[in-house]
Amino acid sequence: MLHVSMIGCGAIGVGVMELLKSDPEVAFDVVIVPEANMANARSVVSSLAPKARVETRLGEDRPDLLIECAGHHAIEEHIIPALLRGIPCMVVSIGALSEPGLVEKLEAAAREGKTQVQLLSGAIGAIDALSAARVGGLESVVYTGRKPPNAWKDTPADGPFDLANLSVATVIFEGSAREAARLYPKNANVAATLSLAGLGLDHTQVRLYADPGVTENVHHVEAKGEFGGFELTMRGKPLAANPKTSALTVFSVVRALGNRAHALSI
Ligand SMILES: NC(=O)C1=CN([C@@H]2O[C@H](COP(=O)(O)OP(=O)(O)OC[C@H]3O[C@@H](n4cnc5c(N)ncnc54)[C@H](OP(=O)(O)O)[C@@H]3O)[C@@H](O)[C@H]2O)C=CC1
Ligand SMILES: O=C([O-])CC(=O)C(=O)O
């Protein structure tokens, strides 16, 4: 039985608890949320993981695994202290790791705690192939993200582009993954994941489209290197609870937990 504590009880956290509710090998013991969200989280958790406590921090608990499904601040606030205590962690807010120095800080905390932090693949696939290809040497990684115009509301594209009236697919950003993450932090998880697995934030090229012709989060990756090349297109259905998040992200967390909990891992 894998004893899990989870940070976050939003679109991903709730989706994960729903799918694992009847898995006898995964037990949620603690769900961590901000103070203001505790009452709401308690009512959700009581039906999905009735044995779990809702807390604002991990406290003295020592889970087999701490998983972050919360957001950028949770990494500094909860993951780094847990790693320092030797608790293995998983992180889904990979976009947060584009903040200078944060990856190194995570790594140092895991090393000091003699444990490991796993960065989950989330909404994008082929991370295994890309990071294996890096071993032989990569030449280029180009990521194209395409989302419906309303997905770019309240971002730097909202204003320079008349999102509500776009009639054709429009490039709203072209540049490095580092710049994409700086300008579009809430849409930067995939670009950051590809960068960490591949050529890094400065050498991963990113093009972002507001496209009235799509209803899904479309992620296209083209990678070339010593291994040869690959092209991948993912058409991620957004979650009803948060249209910025593809459903595959929830499945990716469930897979990762299953791989730790079950006898067979794939
Ligand atoms: N790797 C990938 O491919 C993807 C990663 N993501 C990332 O996953 C994360 C979660 O996404 P999603 O579930 O859709 O987001 P939601 O906003 O639906 O849920 C986030 C949850 O985390 C809680 N939370 C926020 N900050 C903290 C904190 N410091 N400590 C404890 N709890 C906290 C929120 O509480 P409250 O509501 O009170 O703020 C809320 O319960 C985001 O960072 C998102 O960018 C998303 C999609 C793909
Ligand atoms: O598709 C998703 O779930 C999220 C996404 O585009 C990103 O954050 O890069």
Side-chain angles (χ1 to χ4, degrees):
M1 163 84 80
L2 184 77
H3 287 272
V4 178
S5 291
M6 183 162 69
I7 315 163
C9 189
I12 297 176
V14 169
V16 167
M17 283 188 284
E18 262 166 3
L19 286 173
L20 287 173
K21 169 162 89 177
S22 48
D23 187 325
E25 292 181 71
V26 179
F28 290 98
D29 295 333
V30 179
V31 175
I32 299 166
V33 294
E35 182 82 46
N37 193 1
M38 283 188 87
N40 186 36
R42 279 205 175 105
S43 83
V44 174
V45 169
S46 66
S47 64
L48 297 178
K51 290 191 179 148
R53 286 176 288 120
V54 176
E55 307 280 1
T56 55
R57 52 194 286 275
L58 195 55
E60 295 307 305
D61 279 274
R62 214 176 165 84
D64 296 328
L65 182 76
L66 176 64
I67 176 147
E68 178 278 325
C69 305
H72 297 193
H73 295 301
I75 295 184
E76 294 265 14
E77 207 177 321
H78 305 292
I79 293 291
I80 290 189
L83 288 171
L84 288 169
R85 288 175 57 207
I87 297 167
C89 294
M90 288 178 177
V91 167
V92 81
S93 297
I94 312 297
L97 306 184
S98 47
E99 185 186 313
L102 193 50
V103 178
E104 291 77 8
K105 231 167 150 180
L106 264 188
E107 218 175 333
R111 196 175 301 114
E112 196 171 327
K114 297 189 173 45
T115 187
Q116 203 174 38
V117 53
Q118 184 181 347
L119 309 182
L120 300 189
S121 53
I124 190 69
I127 292 303
D128 53 348
L130 185 62
S131 81
R134 181 175 62 175
V135 174
L138 281 165
E139 276 159 35
S140 65
V141 181
V142 181
Y143 164 61
T144 306
R146 196 178 283 271
K147 294 188 180 182
N150 68 358
W152 302 106
K153 243 179 135 258
D154 303 323
T155 72
D158 194 357
F161 299 94
D162 181 8
L163 296 173
N165 294 306
L166 284 187
S167 55
V168 290
T170 304
V171 178
I172 56 155
F173 171 84
E174 204 160 11
S176 69
R178 186 178 300 282
E179 194 58 2
R182 190 181 70 75
L183 290 171
Y184 299 94
K186 291 191 178 153
N187 289 291
N189 292 291
V190 170
T193 308
L194 291 166
S195 300
L196 286 165
L199 278 174
L201 286 164
D202 293 313
H203 300 287
T204 303
Q205 301 162 61
V206 175
R207 192 177 302 130
L208 300 174
Y209 282 88
D211 186 347
V214 299
T215 51
E216 292 138 338
N217 296 329
V218 186
H219 304 296
H220 179 86
V221 186
E222 196 172 347
K224 291 187 192 131
E226 193 57 33
F227 75 105
F230 77 73
E231 268 186 62
L232 168 80
T233 304
M234 313 274 305
R235 290 192 183 82
K237 275 195 189 162
L239 288 174
N242 184 355
K244 286 196 176 75
T245 296
S246 299
L248 189 72
T249 313
V250 171
F251 306 150
S252 147
V253 173
V254 171
R255 166 187 180 251
L257 292 177
N259 273 347
R260 287 284 173 99
H262 303 152
L264 184 72
S265 160
I266 185 159

